[in-house]
Coordinates of all heavy atoms in Angstrom, one line a residue:
L37 N 9.5 -4.8 18.8 CA 9.1 -3.6 18.2 C 8.1 -2.9 19.1 O 8.1 -1.7 19.3 CB 8.4 -3.9 16.8 CG 7.9 -2.6 16.0 CD1 9.1 -1.8 15.6 CD2 7.1 -3.1 14.8
V38 N 7.1 -3.6 19.6 CA 6.1 -3.0 20.5 C 6.8 -2.4 21.7 O 6.5 -1.3 22.2 CB 5.1 -4.1 20.9 CG1 4.1 -3.5 22.0 CG2 4.3 -4.6 19.7
E39 N 7.8 -3.1 22.3 CA 8.5 -2.6 23.4 C 9.3 -1.3 23.1 O 9.4 -0.5 24.0 CB 9.5 -3.7 23.9 CG 8.9 -4.8 24.6 CD 9.9 -5.9 25.1 OE1 11.1 -5.5 25.3 OE2 9.5 -7.0 25.2
R40 N 9.7 -1.1 21.9 CA 10.4 0.1 21.5 C 9.4 1.2 21.2 O 9.6 2.4 21.5 CB 11.2 -0.1 20.2 CG 12.5 -0.9 20.4 CD 13.3 -1.0 19.2 NE 13.7 0.3 18.6 CZ 14.7 1.0 18.9 NH1 15.5 0.6 19.8 NH2 14.9 2.2 18.3
V41 N 8.2 0.9 20.6 CA 7.3 1.9 20.2 C 6.7 2.6 21.4 O 6.6 3.8 21.4 CB 6.1 1.2 19.3 CG1 4.9 2.2 19.3 CG2 6.6 0.9 17.9
V42 N 6.3 1.9 22.4 CA 5.6 2.5 23.5 C 6.3 3.6 24.2 O 5.8 4.7 24.3 CB 5.1 1.4 24.5 CG1 4.5 2.0 25.8 CG2 4.1 0.4 23.9
P43 N 7.5 3.4 24.7 CA 8.2 4.6 25.3 C 8.5 5.7 24.4 O 8.4 6.9 24.8 CB 9.5 4.0 25.9 CG 9.7 2.7 25.2 CD 8.4 2.2 24.7
I44 N 8.9 5.4 23.2 CA 9.1 6.5 22.2 C 7.9 7.3 21.9 O 7.9 8.5 21.8 CB 9.7 5.9 20.9 CG1 11.1 5.3 21.2 CG2 9.8 6.9 19.8 CD1 11.7 4.5 20.0
A45 N 6.8 6.5 21.7 CA 5.5 7.2 21.4 C 5.1 8.1 22.5 O 4.6 9.2 22.3 CB 4.4 6.1 21.1
L46 N 5.2 7.6 23.8 CA 4.8 8.4 24.9 C 5.6 9.7 25.0 O 5.0 10.8 25.2 CB 4.9 7.7 26.2 CG 4.0 6.5 26.4 CD1 4.3 5.7 27.6 CD2 2.5 6.9 26.3
E47 N 6.8 9.6 24.7 CA 7.7 10.8 24.7 C 7.3 11.8 23.6 O 7.2 13.0 23.8 CB 9.2 10.4 24.6 CG 10.1 11.6 24.6 CD 11.6 11.1 24.4 OE1 11.9 10.0 24.8 OE2 12.4 11.9 23.9
M48 N 7.1 11.3 22.4 CA 6.7 12.1 21.3 C 5.3 12.7 21.4 O 5.1 13.8 20.9 CB 6.9 11.3 20.0 CG 8.4 10.9 19.7 SD 9.5 12.3 19.7 CE 9.1 13.2 18.3
I49 N 4.4 12.0 22.0 CA 3.1 12.5 22.2 C 3.1 13.7 23.0 O 2.5 14.8 22.7 CB 2.1 11.4 22.8 CG1 1.8 10.3 21.7 CG2 0.9 12.0 23.3 CD1 1.2 9.1 22.3
V50 N 3.9 13.7 24.1 CA 4.0 14.8 25.0 C 4.8 16.0 24.3 O 4.3 17.1 24.3 CB 4.7 14.4 26.4 CG1 5.0 15.7 27.2 CG2 3.7 13.5 27.1
E51 N 5.9 15.6 23.7 CA 6.7 16.6 23.1 C 6.0 17.4 22.0 O 6.2 18.6 21.8 CB 8.0 16.0 22.5 CG 9.0 16.9 22.0 CD 10.3 16.2 21.6 OE1 10.8 15.5 22.4 OE2 10.7 16.5 20.4
N52 N 5.2 16.7 21.2 CA 4.4 17.3 20.1 C 3.0 17.8 20.5 O 2.2 18.2 19.7 CB 4.3 16.3 19.0 CG 5.6 16.1 18.3 OD1 6.0 17.0 17.5 ND2 6.3 15.1 18.6
R53 N 2.8 17.8 21.8 CA 1.5 18.3 22.4 C 0.3 17.6 21.7 O -0.7 18.3 21.5 CB 1.4 19.8 22.3 CG 2.5 20.5 23.1 CD 2.4 22.0 23.0 NE 3.4 22.6 23.9 CZ 4.6 23.1 23.4 NH1 4.8 23.0 22.1 NH2 5.4 23.6 24.2
C54 N 0.4 16.3 21.5 CA -0.8 15.6 20.9 C -1.7 15.2 22.0 O -2.9 14.7 21.7 CB -0.3 14.3 20.2 SG 0.8 14.8 18.7
A55 N -1.3 15.2 23.2 CA -2.2 15.0 24.4 C -1.5 15.7 25.6 O -0.3 16.1 25.5 CB -2.2 13.5 24.7
D56 N -2.3 15.9 26.6 CA -1.8 16.7 27.7 C -1.3 15.7 28.8 O -1.8 14.6 28.9 CB -2.9 17.6 28.3 CG -3.4 18.6 27.3 OD1 -2.5 19.2 26.7 OD2 -4.6 18.9 27.2
P57 N -0.3 16.2 29.6 CA 0.2 15.4 30.7 C -1.0 15.0 31.6 O -1.9 15.8 31.9 CB 1.2 16.3 31.4 CG 1.7 17.2 30.3 CD 0.5 17.4 29.5
G58 N -1.1 13.7 32.0 CA -2.2 13.3 32.8 C -3.3 12.6 32.0 O -4.2 12.0 32.5
D59 N -3.3 12.9 30.7 CA -4.3 12.3 29.8 C -4.0 10.8 29.7 O -2.9 10.3 29.8 CB -4.3 12.9 28.4 CG -4.9 14.2 28.3 OD1 -5.5 14.7 29.3 OD2 -4.8 14.9 27.2
D60 N -5.1 10.0 29.4 CA -5.0 8.6 29.0 C -4.8 8.5 27.5 O -5.4 9.2 26.8 CB -6.2 7.8 29.5 CG -6.4 7.7 31.0 OD1 -5.3 7.7 31.7 OD2 -7.5 7.6 31.4
V61 N -3.9 7.6 27.1 CA -3.7 7.4 25.7 C -3.7 5.8 25.5 O -3.4 5.1 26.3 CB -2.4 8.0 25.1 CG1 -2.4 9.5 25.2 CG2 -1.2 7.4 25.8
I62 N -4.1 5.5 24.3 CA -4.1 4.1 23.8 C -3.1 4.0 22.7 O -3.2 4.8 21.7 CB -5.5 3.6 23.4 CG1 -6.4 3.7 24.6 CG2 -5.4 2.2 22.8 CD1 -7.9 3.5 24.3
I63 N -2.2 3.0 22.7 CA -1.3 2.9 21.6 C -1.5 1.5 21.0 O -1.4 0.5 21.7 CB 0.2 3.0 22.1 CG1 0.4 4.4 22.7 CG2 1.2 2.7 21.0 CD1 1.7 4.6 23.4

Side-chain angles (χ1 to χ4, degrees):
L37 182 68
V38 173
E39 288 179 23
R40 286 184 56 88
V41 164
V42 172
I44 293 169
L46 293 175
E47 181 180 331
M48 296 305 291
I49 288 166
V50 171
E51 189 173 308
N52 288 280
R53 296 183 179 98
C54 295
D56 295 319
D59 286 353
D60 291 328
V61 296
I62 298 169
I63 298 173

